[in-house]
């Protein structure tokens, strides 16, 4: 027995030694190199709690915080205990071909070496950062800490911020009288002030402000290197006396204001055809290939947001280039300014614009597939075809065709199996103008500064619920969107008219009218005349760690129509009013969707979303149209469930119910999602393979009690029990221009009775699995 024990211990010792050798993280490091395993500690002395101090410290930590191998969420301090990439590197580094080489190329992680981290250089950079923020006495040092592995080390840093310096007096000197007067007249826009922390970044921002101010007022040749700063820290300890000085060596062109002359536009065909003819007015000439310019003269001229004789303006140049780009007609445009004669003797700049037409057509095809182990599956497709520069108007004509199917592959519909349960088909034709167009108003509205658009749209959609009904919806909209700032977009829809008609209904559908009148009346033939306003906030262009996107919308339907009827003697609250012989809906609808993306680094992100909506019908119709009601589930919602398979509330029709697939919608919706995204493989066939872990929750409810759907009405006491919850994992293949996504949702809780007790009330694990293939990120 003792011999057996000794033999087992020896075998265990051999296996342990073999595993330790096989899983070494430093065995094949280059000679003389040391593995960097992260930061042990960062000590901060004399911290400055102000916003400037926090920003400075954040940048300092960013300069010294280098993530080691198997970092946790990109952290420089915390690591995942299993350095798989390093194991693969050390095990397969010797292979030069075959499977071993493929495994090395795809799965190995290059060791992060101490020499690569180069802490000596990093502390110098970090110290300079402190001084850039006015911490002239600040200092950053480091030390190397040993680990159990003699060829692996950690680093510790000590950050002494010292005391900050502040701006005292600020003077602008050396500018020509006209330029000096211009600077003084815009003093309220100054970015540096007495009492501010000394900050090199703010000084550079002030320099760029002055350059922009000069260039926006005719100083075409003015550059940033014409301005320098003189700082004196000796007059008052802890303070900086600052002078913003124009250099004495500025060339004469930089001190002179220039005016705009004639404009010549040279258009090149999308196959490279050179201009052969021209169309000219007194100050504006278009040179074009072929028999016609290819774009209407007035449309093109209207994008140039200046006139002859005006002072040159960098801002107007930028707006003009953006306006030309937004026409969608050109692959590229470039503007060149040519001095008329000697630039020292003449103050006029003629403009030459080179532009090349883009291909006239663009198309896009998207597929998505949703499947669920509860015997529902459904593919879908969207096809977009766009005609750029339609009829030379600089507008885009777009045709969108979409379709989706859903099969019920069990014997739950009239006892038959493999029955096609439903389909949806839609077509949409829209005309988009990159400007505001109002009837009877020829003057340009908001012609520059921020983009604006006008949309005219007509569409039709057919929804078929096999063995129950077929509904046709068609209508049209006119909408405008414009930006009041780079982050804020407003969308106004002053006209939208939709007509819903039930083309066909079966005896089975008629039989449920008495049992479920609310559902039945939501599908009535009716007009939906509405107006709406949507506000969207998006700060993604700032490229911050935390990116916020929020959209709120309000829709009013039937109210203006009712007011018109009231003007002719019918009460506003009167029911059964008709438009063209058909009743119209009357409701108010509010929606809100807020999304926050936190970037740990390029390879790790946490995305969250909170959204909700409410629709309240009254007056002419007290039941919201079926097409306007809310639902949850699907590839972009709660991914453990298919579309319209949850709610309202705790209500859930039995699979044998006649109306089990037409009524899981509601008047109130709440949904929350969280998704952690991480990089799996980089540069895989031209794209990145990313993984995701997600958690989704939400439901829909009714605002009014419906006896046919017990438990569907919203109540606070049952709120948490009514929340459907699902988790899951997914993979995304990101090729930058398109993202292919595959998600597997796992249900954790459903709000209805399943016969199983406890919070996890899914009868069988496979009953709670949902698989979705889609294009793009869910949010």
């Amino acid at each position: 027995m003792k011999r057996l024990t000794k033999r087992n211990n020896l075998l265990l010792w051999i296996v342990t030694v073999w595993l330790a050798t096989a899983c070494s993280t430093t065995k094949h490091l280059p000679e003389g190199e040391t593995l960097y395993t992260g930061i042990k500690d960062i000590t901060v002395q004399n911290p400055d709690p102000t916003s400037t101090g926090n920003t400075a410290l954040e940048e300092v930590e960013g300069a010294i915080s280098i993530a080691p191998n198997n970092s946790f969420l990109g952290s420089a301090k915390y690591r995942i205990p299993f350095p798989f990439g390093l194991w693969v590197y050390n095990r397969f580094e010797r292979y030069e071909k075959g499977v071993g080489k493929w495994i090395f190329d795809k799965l190995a992680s290059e060791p992060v070496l101490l020499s690569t981290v180069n802490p000596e250089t990093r502390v110098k950079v970090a110290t300079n950062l402190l001084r850039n923020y006015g911490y002239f006495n600040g200092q950053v040092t480091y030390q190397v800490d040993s680990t159990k592995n003699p060829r692996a080390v950690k680093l510790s840093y000590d950050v002494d911020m010292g005391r900050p310096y502040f701006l005292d007096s600020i003077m602008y000197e050396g500018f020509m009288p006209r330029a000096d007067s211009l600077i003084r007249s815009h003093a309220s826009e100054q970015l540096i002030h007495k009492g501010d922390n000394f900050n090199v970044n703010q000084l550079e921002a002030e320099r760029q402000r002055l350059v922009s101010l000069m260039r926006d007022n005719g100083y075409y040749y003015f550059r940033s290197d014409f301005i320098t700063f003189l700082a004196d820290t000796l007059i008052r300890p802890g303070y900086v006396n600052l002078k913003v000085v124009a250099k004495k060596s500025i060339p004469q062109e930089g001190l002179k204001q220039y005016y705009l002359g004639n404009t010549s536009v040279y258009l090149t065909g999308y196959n490279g055809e050179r201009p052969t003819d021209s169309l000219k007015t007194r100050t504006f000439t278009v040179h074009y290939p072929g028999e016609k310019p290819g774009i209407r003269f007035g449309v093109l001229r209207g994008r140039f947001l200046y006139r002859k004789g005006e002072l040159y303006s960098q801002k107007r140049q930028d707006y003009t280039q953006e306006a030309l780009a937004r026409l969608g007609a050109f692959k590229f445009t470039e503007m060149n300014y040519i001095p008329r004669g000697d630039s020292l003797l003449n103050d006029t700049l003629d403009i030459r614009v080179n532009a090349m037409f883009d291909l006239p057509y663009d198309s896009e095809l998207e597929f998505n597939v949703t499947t669920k182990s509860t015997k529902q599956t459904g593919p879908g497709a969207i096809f977009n075809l766009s005609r750029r520069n339609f009829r030379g108007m600089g507008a885009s004509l777009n045709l969108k065709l979409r379709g989706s199917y859903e099969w019920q592959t069990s014997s739950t519909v009239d006892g038959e199996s493999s029955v096609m349960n439903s389909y949806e088909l839609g077509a949409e034709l829209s005309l988009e103008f990159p400007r505001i167009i109002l009837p009877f108003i020829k003057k340009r509205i908001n012609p520059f500064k921020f983009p604006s658009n006008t949309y005219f749209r007509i569409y039709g959609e057919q929804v078929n619920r096999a063995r129950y009904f077929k509904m046709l919806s068609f209508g049209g909209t006119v909408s405008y969107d414009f930006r009041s700032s780079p982050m804020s977009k407003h969308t106004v829809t002053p006209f939208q008219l939709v007509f819903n008609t039930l083309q066909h209904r079966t005896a089975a559908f008629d039989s449920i009218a008495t049992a479920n009148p609310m559902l039945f009346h939501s599908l009535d033939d009716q007009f939906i005349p509405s107006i709406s306003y949507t506000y969207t906030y998006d700060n993604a262009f700032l490229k911050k760690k935390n990116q916020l996107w929020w959209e709120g919308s309000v829709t009013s339907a039937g109210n203006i129509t009712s007011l018109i009827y009231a003007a002719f003697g019918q009460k506003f609250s009167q029911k059964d009013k008709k438009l063209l012989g058909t009743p119209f809906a009357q409701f108010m609808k509010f929606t809100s969707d807020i999304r926050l993306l936190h970037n740990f680094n390029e390879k790790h992100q946490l995305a969250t979303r909170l959204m909700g909506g409410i629709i309240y019908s009254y007056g002419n119709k007290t039941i919201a149209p079926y097409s306007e009601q809310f639902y949850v589930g699907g590839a972009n919602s709660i991914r453990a469930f298919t579309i319209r398979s949850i709610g309202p509330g705790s209500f859930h029709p039995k699979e044998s119910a006649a109306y089990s697939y037409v009524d899981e919608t509601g008047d109130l919706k709440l949904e929350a999602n969280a998704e952690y995204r991480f990089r799996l493989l980089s540069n895989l066939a031209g794209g990145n393979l990313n993984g995701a872990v997600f958690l989704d929750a939400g439901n829909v409810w009714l605002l009014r009690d419906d006896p046919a759907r017990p438990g569907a009405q919203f109540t606070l006491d049952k709120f948490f029990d009514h929340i459907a919850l699902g988790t899951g994992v997914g993979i995304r293949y990101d090729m930058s221009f398109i993202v292919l996504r595959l998600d597997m949702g796992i249900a954790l809780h459903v709000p209805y009775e399943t016969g199983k007790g406890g919070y996890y009330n899914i009868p069988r694990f496979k009953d709670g699995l949902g698989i979705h293939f889609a294009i793009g990120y869910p949010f």
Side-chain angles (χ1 to χ4, degrees):
M1 190 69 167
K2 288 182 179 180
R3 288 181 181 178
L4 184 60
T5 301
K6 288 181 179 181
R7 186 179 300 171
N8 289 342
N9 290 338
L10 179 62
L11 180 62
L12 179 62
W13 182 82
I14 292 173
V15 170
T16 302
V17 171
W18 180 82
L19 286 173
T21 303
C23 296
S24 172
T25 59
T26 58
K27 182 178 180 181
H28 292 286
L29 291 181
E31 187 68 28
E33 294 286 0
T34 306
L35 182 68
Y36 164 76
T37 58
I39 291 177
K40 182 178 180 180
D41 197 14
I42 297 178
T43 304
V44 181
Q45 300 182 47
N46 299 311
D48 182 359
T50 66
S51 60
T52 301
N54 291 332
T55 301
L57 184 59
E58 184 179 329
E59 290 199 23
V60 166
E61 291 181 346
I64 61 180
S65 298
I66 305 303
N69 294 100
N70 57 292
S71 165
F72 178 70
L73 299 180
S75 170
K77 190 172 183 178
Y78 301 104
R79 305 171 67 204
I80 300 171
F82 304 103
F84 178 75
L86 281 178
W87 291 342
V88 174
Y89 177 89
N90 282 276
R91 177 67 180 83
F92 292 92
E93 184 267 343
R94 65 181 183 273
Y95 289 95
E96 297 182 358
K97 59 182 179 179
V99 176
K101 175 64 173 174
W102 184 89
I103 292 175
F104 179 82
D105 290 341
K106 299 301 179 183
L107 301 178
S109 295
E110 192 77 20
V112 179
L113 304 174
L114 182 63
S115 62
T116 304
V117 174
N118 196 354
E120 290 184 2
T121 300
R122 294 197 175 276
V123 295
K124 291 178 181 178
V125 171
T127 300
N128 286 335
L129 283 171
L130 284 177
R131 291 171 184 172
N132 286 345
Y133 279 93
Y135 300 91
F136 296 138
N137 301 315
Q139 188 72 31
V140 182
T141 58
Y142 79 97
Q143 70 177 35
V144 179
D145 300 307
S146 59
T147 65
K148 293 179 180 180
N149 188 333
R151 298 196 66 187
V153 298
K154 287 183 175 293
L155 295 174
S156 291
Y157 291 93
D158 181 78
V159 180
D160 185 354
M161 298 188 69
R163 58 184 177 84
Y165 276 68
F166 300 93
L167 293 177
D168 195 1
S169 63
I170 303 171
M171 300 179 65
Y172 293 79
E173 295 184 353
F175 293 90
M176 295 290 289
R178 187 177 296 178
D180 184 71
S181 176
L182 184 63
I183 292 172
R184 292 178 184 278
S185 66
H186 288 79
S188 61
E189 301 170 6
Q190 194 172 305
L191 299 178
I192 52 177
H193 307 88
K194 182 177 180 178
D196 290 349
N197 286 66
F198 179 89
N199 186 335
V200 170
N201 295 328
Q202 280 299 98
L203 296 188
E204 181 58 32
E206 175 66 4
R207 190 209 309 258
Q208 292 304 321
R209 183 190 72 85
L210 293 174
V211 172
S212 297
L213 179 62
M214 300 293 285
R215 287 178 60 83
D216 283 338
N217 286 273
Y219 294 90
Y220 173 73
Y221 291 102
F222 201 88
R223 301 195 307 267
S224 59
D225 57 354
F226 293 169
I227 298 176
T228 189
F229 298 95
L230 300 177
D232 190 337
T233 59
L234 299 178
I235 297 177
R236 183 183 177 190
Y239 287 84
V240 177
N241 290 275
L242 184 72
K243 290 184 179 181
V244 184
V245 181
K247 290 183 177 179
K248 295 182 180 180
S249 58
I250 298 176
Q252 288 300 310
E253 292 91 339
L255 301 174
K256 187 175 182 179
Q257 288 179 302
Y258 286 85
Y259 295 85
L260 299 178
N262 298 326
T263 300
S264 298
V265 181
Y266 290 81
L267 301 177
T268 302
Y270 60 82
N271 288 321
E273 300 91 344
R274 306 302 300 174
T276 58
D277 205 346
S278 64
L279 188 61
K280 183 179 181 179
T281 62
R282 189 169 59 88
T283 63
F284 193 85
T285 306
V286 179
H287 301 264
Y288 56 89
E291 298 179 357
K292 296 181 179 180
I295 186 168
R296 296 186 182 185
F297 186 90
V299 170
L300 185 60
R301 182 67 184 96
R303 300 305 96 201
F304 288 81
L305 307 173
Y306 59 80
R307 292 296 181 266
K308 181 180 179 180
E310 293 180 346
L311 278 173
Y312 165 80
S313 168
Q314 176 69 56
K315 188 176 293 184
R316 284 184 177 269
Q317 174 186 315
D318 294 341
Y319 293 156
T320 295
Q321 288 182 307
E322 183 177 357
L324 288 171
R326 293 186 63 250
L327 284 174
F330 304 115
K331 186 178 296 184
F332 72 87
T333 59
E334 63 176 6
M335 300 183 70
N336 299 302
Y337 292 83
I338 305 167
R340 187 179 293 178
D342 190 332
S343 60
L344 293 178
L345 301 176
N346 200 304
D347 61 358
T348 301
L349 300 172
D350 290 324
I351 304 102
R352 173 178 173 134
V353 180
N354 297 316
M356 184 175 185
F357 281 107
D358 204 349
L359 294 171
Y361 290 98
D362 185 29
S363 62
E364 183 181 52
L365 181 63
E366 293 184 15
F367 287 103
N368 62 78
V369 178
T370 299
T371 184
K372 188 170 166 60
S373 62
T374 49
K375 304 161 189 173
Q376 292 174 321
T377 184
I382 300 175
F383 174 71
N384 286 287
L385 178 64
S386 298
R387 174 62 166 91
R388 298 188 181 99
N389 192 27
F390 179 65
R391 300 183 67 85
M393 296 187 297
S396 176
L397 182 67
N398 307 295
L399 174 65
K400 178 187 287 187
L401 303 175
R402 61 183 180 274
S404 63
Y405 295 83
E406 185 178 286
W407 284 277
Q408 178 70 16
T409 57
S410 67
S411 56
T412 59
V413 181
D414 291 355
E416 298 182 15
S417 61
S418 299
V419 174
M420 186 172 69
N421 200 44
S422 66
Y423 66 80
E424 296 183 13
L425 300 173
E428 176 183 309
L429 187 66
S430 63
L431 187 60
E432 174 186 349
F433 292 87
R435 55 192 178 276
I436 298 294
I437 296 177
L438 294 172
F440 313 116
I441 299 179
K442 293 183 178 181
K443 185 178 178 181
R444 292 173 295 170
I445 305 298
N446 191 27
F448 56 91
K449 196 170 184 179
F450 299 113
S452 57
N453 296 278
T454 301
Y455 302 91
F456 299 94
R457 183 170 69 107
I458 57 173
Y459 67 93
E461 182 178 54
Q462 187 167 75
V463 177
N464 181 75
R465 296 290 182 258
R467 303 179 182 276
Y468 299 113
F469 69 87
K470 182 185 293 185
M471 186 173 69
L472 175 66
S473 297
F474 59 88
T477 64
V478 177
S479 61
Y480 304 94
D481 71 43
F482 59 92
R483 292 184 179 273
S484 56
S485 75
M487 294 177 289
S488 297
K489 185 177 78 169
H490 308 264
T491 301
V492 179
T493 303
F495 173 81
Q496 177 168 343
L497 183 62
V498 180
F499 181 67
N500 293 338
T501 179
L502 212 57
Q503 293 177 294
H504 172 73
R505 59 193 196 190
T506 65
F509 180 79
D510 289 336
S511 69
I512 69 172
T514 303
N516 199 332
M518 289 183 67
L519 169 67
F520 183 76
H521 289 300
S522 71
L523 295 164
D524 280 345
D525 291 358
Q526 57 188 309
F527 279 104
I528 309 176
S530 63
I531 60 174
S532 65
Y533 167 74
T534 301
Y535 172 76
T536 305
Y537 175 89
D538 186 0
N539 70 352
F541 82 100
L542 297 176
K543 300 188 183 301
K544 292 184 176 181
K545 265 197 168 184
N546 293 305
Q547 297 177 10
L548 176 65
W549 184 94
W550 176 68
E551 184 172 276
S553 179
V554 56
T555 301
S556 170
N559 293 305
I560 293 180
T561 310
S562 292
L563 285 173
I564 295 173
Y565 276 72
F568 287 92
Q570 297 190 35
K571 292 183 178 180
F572 182 84
S573 59
Q574 180 180 328
K575 297 182 180 297
D576 300 323
K577 296 187 292 288
K578 294 183 178 182
L579 179 65
L580 300 177
T582 302
F584 60 87
Q586 190 173 355
F587 61 79
M588 291 293 295
K589 184 177 183 180
F590 303 90
T591 62
S592 181
D593 186 344
I594 185 169
R595 306 173 187 183
L596 181 64
L597 178 66
H598 177 74
N599 294 284
F600 295 102
N601 54 41
E602 182 186 358
K603 298 182 179 180
H604 300 269
Q605 298 89 33
L606 177 64
T608 57
R609 174 175 68 176
L610 179 64
M611 63 184 304
I614 184 170
I615 182 169
Y616 183 73
S617 299
Y618 54 91
N620 206 43
K621 284 275 193 176
T622 56
I623 299 172
Y626 184 76
S627 59
E628 295 289 337
Q629 294 180 12
F630 299 104
Y631 58 86
V632 293
N636 298 319
S637 181
I638 308 176
R639 284 160 280 184
F641 310 99
T642 50
I643 293 175
R644 302 182 186 90
S645 63
I646 291 295
S650 63
F651 175 76
H652 187 69
K654 297 179 181 179
E655 291 190 3
S656 58
Y659 47 90
S660 59
Y661 297 100
V662 294
D663 62 345
E664 299 202 52
T665 58
D667 307 318
L668 174 66
K669 174 181 178 177
L670 289 173
E671 183 180 326
N673 314 85
E675 181 172 286
Y676 168 56
R677 300 165 182 169
F678 51 91
R679 181 71 51 81
L680 293 174
L681 295 174
S682 299
N683 301 320
L684 180 64
N688 296 322
L689 188 66
N690 301 323
V693 178
F694 54 82
L695 185 69
D696 304 321
N699 203 345
V700 294
W701 293 266
L702 299 180
L703 294 179
R704 295 181 172 93
D705 182 42
D706 182 4
R709 289 179 283 181
Q713 189 177 15
F714 178 80
T715 56
L716 283 175
D717 58 330
K718 297 289 185 180
F719 175 74
F720 290 104
D721 291 335
H722 286 184
I723 296 294
L725 183 67
T727 186
V729 295
I731 56 174
R732 293 95 167 83
Y733 183 51
D734 189 344
M735 294 181 284
S736 70
F737 64 93
I738 191 172
V739 177
L740 304 178
R741 173 165 58 96
L742 180 65
D743 287 332
M744 182 179 73
I746 302 169
L748 300 177
H749 176 76
V750 290
Y752 51 85
E753 180 60 45
T754 64
K756 182 176 180 179
Y759 187 78
Y760 179 77
N761 59 352
I762 313 302
R764 295 177 299 176
F765 180 76
K766 70 174 185 177
D767 293 338
L769 293 180
I771 298 177
H772 307 273
F773 175 73
I775 304 286
Y777 288 103
F779 52 89

